[in-house]
Amino acid sequence: MPRPQVLERIKSAEQEADEIVAEAEQERDERIAEARERAEEIRTDAQREAQELKERQLEEARDEIDEECERILEEGEQEREELAGQAEDRIDEVTDYVVSLFQEDVHAQT
Protein backbone atom coordinates (compact mmCIF):
# COMPACT_ATOMS: atom_id res chain seq x y z
CA MET A 1 0.00 0.00 0.00
CA PRO A 2 1.42 3.37 -0.95
CA ARG A 3 2.35 5.67 1.80
CA PRO A 4 -0.19 8.45 0.99
CA GLN A 5 -3.01 5.91 1.19
CA VAL A 6 -1.80 4.73 4.59
CA LEU A 7 -1.67 8.29 5.85
CA GLU A 8 -5.13 8.93 4.43
CA ARG A 9 -6.50 5.82 6.18
CA ILE A 10 -4.88 6.86 9.45
CA LYS A 11 -6.40 10.35 9.15
CA SER A 12 -9.76 8.81 8.31
CA ALA A 13 -9.52 6.46 11.30
CA GLU A 14 -8.53 9.33 13.61
CA GLN A 15 -11.42 11.44 12.32
CA GLU A 16 -13.82 8.53 12.83
CA ALA A 17 -12.44 8.00 16.36
CA ASP A 18 -12.87 11.72 17.11
CA GLU A 19 -16.47 11.56 15.90
CA ILE A 20 -17.13 8.47 18.03
CA VAL A 21 -15.61 10.20 21.09
CA ALA A 22 -17.60 13.39 20.42
CA GLU A 23 -20.80 11.40 19.98
CA ALA A 24 -20.09 9.44 23.19
CA GLU A 25 -19.44 12.67 25.09
CA GLN A 26 -22.67 14.19 23.78
CA GLU A 27 -24.59 11.05 24.73
CA ARG A 28 -22.95 11.12 28.17
CA ASP A 29 -23.95 14.76 28.66
CA GLU A 30 -27.53 13.99 27.58
CA ARG A 31 -27.72 11.05 29.98
CA ILE A 32 -26.36 13.16 32.81
CA ALA A 33 -28.93 15.87 32.06
CA GLU A 34 -31.71 13.27 31.95
CA ALA A 35 -30.49 11.76 35.22
CA ARG A 36 -30.46 15.18 36.86
CA GLU A 37 -34.00 15.88 35.63
CA ARG A 38 -35.16 12.50 36.91
CA ALA A 39 -33.43 13.09 40.25
CA GLU A 40 -35.19 16.45 40.55
CA GLU A 41 -38.55 14.81 39.74
CA ILE A 42 -37.91 12.14 42.37
CA ARG A 43 -36.90 14.78 44.92
CA THR A 44 -40.00 16.86 44.13
CA ASP A 45 -42.26 13.81 44.38
CA ALA A 46 -40.67 12.80 47.67
CA GLN A 47 -41.13 16.29 49.10
CA ARG A 48 -44.76 16.36 47.98
CA GLU A 49 -45.42 12.91 49.45
CA ALA A 50 -43.69 13.89 52.69
CA GLN A 51 -45.83 17.03 52.92
CA GLU A 52 -49.00 15.02 52.26
CA LEU A 53 -47.99 12.47 54.89
CA LYS A 54 -47.25 15.23 57.39
CA GLU A 55 -50.63 16.82 56.73
CA ARG A 56 -52.43 13.47 57.10
CA GLN A 57 -50.63 12.72 60.35
CA LEU A 58 -51.37 16.19 61.66
CA GLU A 59 -55.06 15.81 60.77
CA GLU A 60 -55.16 12.39 62.45
CA ALA A 61 -53.49 13.82 65.55
CA ARG A 62 -56.01 16.67 65.65
CA ASP A 63 -58.86 14.19 65.31
CA GLU A 64 -57.43 12.11 68.17
CA ILE A 65 -57.07 15.22 70.31
CA ASP A 66 -60.64 16.26 69.53
CA GLU A 67 -61.92 12.78 70.42
CA GLU A 68 -59.90 12.75 73.66
CA CYS A 69 -61.16 16.23 74.55
CA GLU A 70 -64.76 15.16 73.90
CA ARG A 71 -64.26 12.03 76.04
CA ILE A 72 -62.79 14.07 78.89
CA LEU A 73 -65.63 16.58 78.70
CA GLU A 74 -68.21 13.79 78.75
CA GLU A 75 -66.52 12.16 81.75
CA GLY A 76 -66.42 15.53 83.51
CA GLU A 77 -70.10 16.08 82.82
CA GLN A 78 -70.97 12.64 84.19
CA GLU A 79 -68.88 13.24 87.32
CA ARG A 80 -70.50 16.66 87.80
CA GLU A 81 -73.96 15.11 87.52
CA GLU A 82 -73.03 12.39 90.01
CA LEU A 83 -71.65 14.92 92.47
CA ALA A 84 -74.69 17.14 92.05
CA GLY A 85 -76.93 14.12 92.67
CA GLN A 86 -74.95 13.14 95.75
CA ALA A 87 -75.11 16.71 97.08
CA GLU A 88 -78.83 16.87 96.43
CA ASP A 89 -79.32 13.57 98.25
CA ARG A 90 -77.53 14.99 101.28
CA ILE A 91 -79.46 18.30 101.45
CA ASP A 92 -81.99 16.93 103.96
CA GLU A 93 -79.23 15.32 106.03
CA VAL A 94 -77.15 18.51 106.10
CA THR A 95 -80.22 20.62 106.84
CA ASP A 96 -81.12 18.38 109.79
CA TYR A 97 -77.52 18.55 111.03
CA VAL A 98 -77.39 22.36 110.81
CA VAL A 99 -80.77 22.66 112.54
CA SER A 100 -79.61 20.35 115.31
CA LEU A 101 -76.41 22.42 115.78
CA PHE A 102 -78.53 25.56 115.91
CA GLN A 103 -80.86 24.02 118.46
CA GLU A 104 -77.91 22.91 120.60
CA ASP A 105 -76.49 26.43 120.52
CA VAL A 106 -79.89 27.88 121.42
CA HIS A 107 -80.32 25.41 124.31
CA ALA A 108 -76.76 26.06 125.43
CA GLN A 109 -77.45 29.80 125.67
CA THR A 110 -80.63 29.35 127.72
Side-chain angles (χ1 to χ4, degrees):
M1 208 187 286
R3 196 170 183 169
Q5 284 181 333
V6 171
L7 289 175
E8 189 60 40
R9 287 183 76 190
I10 290 173
K11 285 182 183 180
S12 177
E14 285 177 349
Q15 185 178 356
E16 189 176 324
D18 288 343
E19 289 173 3
I20 290 171
V21 168
E23 189 176 304
E25 287 175 348
Q26 182 179 353
E27 189 174 313
R28 177 200 65 201
D29 292 344
E30 289 173 0
R31 286 186 180 186
I32 289 172
E34 288 173 3
R36 285 186 177 140
E37 288 177 18
R38 181 66 184 131
E40 183 60 31
E41 288 174 6
I42 291 170
R43 186 176 15 263
T44 301
D45 288 347
Q47 288 173 337
R48 179 184 45 77
E49 289 174 10
Q51 182 66 27
E52 289 173 358
L53 176 62
K54 181 178 106 178
E55 289 172 5
R56 273 196 313 270
Q57 290 174 334
L58 185 58
E59 185 63 32
E60 289 173 4
R62 285 183 177 142
D63 289 345
E64 288 177 17
I65 290 170
D66 288 345
E67 289 173 8
E68 181 69 10
C69 183
E70 188 63 33
R71 184 188 64 75
I72 290 170
L73 288 172
E74 287 175 7
E75 286 179 3
E77 180 64 23
Q78 288 175 353
E79 289 178 18
R80 185 195 66 75
E81 288 175 4
E82 288 174 12
L83 288 173
Q86 291 171 359
E88 198 170 303
D89 290 344
R90 296 191 66 197
I91 288 176
D92 291 338
E93 181 183 332
V94 170
T95 304
D96 291 343
Y97 178 70
V98 170
V99 167
S100 71
L101 287 177
F102 179 73
Q103 287 174 346
E104 288 176 12
D105 281 347
V106 168
H107 289 301
Q109 290 178 2
T110 58

